[in-house]
Amino acid sequence: MRAQKILIIESRSDLDIYEERNEGSTLKKILELQGVYAKNFEVVNRSMFAKALKIAQREHIKYVHISAHGTDKGIILTDEGFITWKDFDQIAWPILRGKCICFSSCSVGGGVSELFDLHKSFCNAIVAPTRDITWSEGLVAYSAFYHRAQLFEKSSYQDVRVMNHIVGASTFRLIQSPYVSSTYTLDGLIKPCM
């Protein structure tokens, strides 16, 4: 078994489950085609979410991908539990320190930077959409992002620019930690944010 580089945590709505819409398993398959190994968890409530996040403590995991419905105030789980950014901080600090968090959740980019107000070293960087996105937009954009995350010479800022070229200007934003703002290639080399 190869070490996973990306942790995917997905929490779909009941309608998504009924209509068989998901991002996590599809993204995992796309990553495997690129030779990148990911661990995928589907969670339905707060306790499962917290348990899945603890997997991120493994040092070889550099990216935590969260696929859920969301707003600028937080994310929504399958059981319709709402996780505010303050709640998220209480669940995930210091587990995500040193990681890059990628949200595939509508509009979270408008408020997720609040995590850095709570802990400057919450994580190294966050990539998040600033508007409502479709499942397919998130899947296509993050497929390109993780493909480029394999390359040392491409910065995370450039990677997010490519995502925006794919799905529309200013859809995704890179939010850097005021403490440590570097990300990593999927092989663990330090990658510049800018």
Side-chain angles (χ1 to χ4, degrees), residues 20-184:
E20 298 181 1
R21 274 191 304 261
N22 67 24
E23 179 184 39
S25 62
T26 307
L27 182 58
K28 181 180 177 184
K29 289 176 185 173
I30 290 169
L31 291 167
E32 286 174 356
L33 288 172
Q34 297 178 45
V36 176
Y37 295 91
K39 184 76 175 163
N40 181 36
F41 287 99
E42 181 143 5
V43 302
V44 297
N45 58 36
R46 184 187 197 107
S47 65
M48 288 180 72
F49 182 68
K51 186 175 179 179
L53 277 174
K54 288 184 181 177
I55 301 297
Q57 290 175 316
R58 297 177 183 165
E59 69 179 54
H60 52 267
I61 292 178
K62 302 299 180 196
Y63 290 84
V64 176
H65 183 93
I66 298 173
S67 177
H69 291 279
T71 73
D72 62 337
K73 306 286 186 220
I75 59 171
I76 305 161
L77 302 177
T78 303
D79 70 352
E80 298 183 9
F82 190 72
I83 307 275
T84 66
W85 300 127
K86 187 174 180 181
D87 296 335
F88 192 86
D89 176 73
Q90 290 172 349
I91 295 167
W93 168 255
I95 295 169
L96 299 178
R97 189 173 184 182
K99 312 293 182 192
C100 179
I101 308 170
C102 298
F103 284 96
S104 188
S105 308
C106 292
S107 303
V108 300
V112 72
S113 61
E114 181 181 322
L115 291 171
F116 293 128
D117 295 337
L118 301 168
H119 284 100
K120 288 185 188 332
S121 61
F122 182 83
C123 65
N124 284 12
I126 299 169
V127 177
T130 59
R131 66 167 174 85
D132 289 357
I133 60 170
T134 65
W135 288 99
S136 59
E137 285 177 312
L139 183 61
V140 170
Y142 277 111
S143 296
F145 177 82
Y146 291 125
H147 174 74
R148 290 178 58 88
Q150 296 176 84
L151 309 171
F152 171 74
E153 63 276 0
K154 305 295 182 191
S155 72
S156 297
Y157 175 76
Q158 290 170 320
D159 298 346
V160 172
R161 282 185 55 206
V162 168
M163 294 171 77
N164 287 325
H165 284 301
I166 293 169
V167 296
S170 301
T171 297
F172 288 91
R173 71 185 277 221
L174 174 68
I175 306 159
Q176 299 178 55
S177 165
Y179 181 70
V180 175
S181 62
S182 59
T183 57
Y184 300 89

